[in-house]
Amino acid sequence: MINVGLYYKVKEGHEKEFESIFNEMVKAFKNSDIGFIDGKLYKRVDEPREYLIYSEWKDLESFKNFIKSREFKNATEYGATILENKPYHRIYKEINE
């Protein structure tokens, strides 16, 4: 299993929209076979338009396949309309079980 952090800064006024889309995507990803395990959304206290999506994936290959997928491309195209700047991600660790 790997953990990936996805960092976002949302345009003012789009916070609730971003949160709602996150919830929809987590439900859809959990019902798919893309290797997604779970995701949690965190908001900065001192900058409430900045978010971290902490996600768990079956393995690094699953995450890499996802970021090459049509679903990811669609999400990033839509995200460009509500995000203040380009998001980035960090892979935190890989756990060999």
Side-chain angles (χ1 to χ4, degrees), residues 27-82:
K27 287 177 190 173
F29 291 171
K30 281 184 173 183
N31 291 321
S32 71
D33 63 350
I34 62 172
F36 177 82
I37 298 169
D38 198 12
K40 307 234 183 310
L41 183 63
Y42 296 92
K43 184 189 295 192
R44 272 185 66 162
V45 173
D46 62 336
E47 180 54 67
R49 292 187 299 127
E50 290 188 18
Y51 293 88
L52 161 66
I53 295 175
Y54 186 80
S55 60
E56 298 174 53
W57 295 83
K58 182 177 86 172
D59 52 33
L60 183 57
E61 184 178 339
S62 295
F63 177 71
K64 286 183 175 182
N65 287 337
F66 170 69
I67 61 175
K68 295 176 189 173
S69 72
R70 185 72 184 140
E71 292 85 358
F72 183 77
K73 184 174 178 14
N74 291 343
T76 56
E77 286 173 356
Y78 177 76
T81 67
I82 65 169

Side-chain angles (χ1 to χ4, degrees), residues 7-16 18-19 42-52 82-85:
Y7 297 83
Y8 300 89
K9 186 166 185 178
V10 178
K11 292 179 182 175
E12 191 170 344
H14 291 276
E15 298 88 352
K16 294 297 179 195
F18 182 81
E19 294 167 17
Y42 296 92
K43 184 189 295 192
R44 272 185 66 162
V45 173
D46 62 336
E47 180 54 67
R49 292 187 299 127
E50 290 188 18
Y51 293 88
L52 161 66
I82 65 169
L83 298 178
E84 192 163 295
N85 50 29

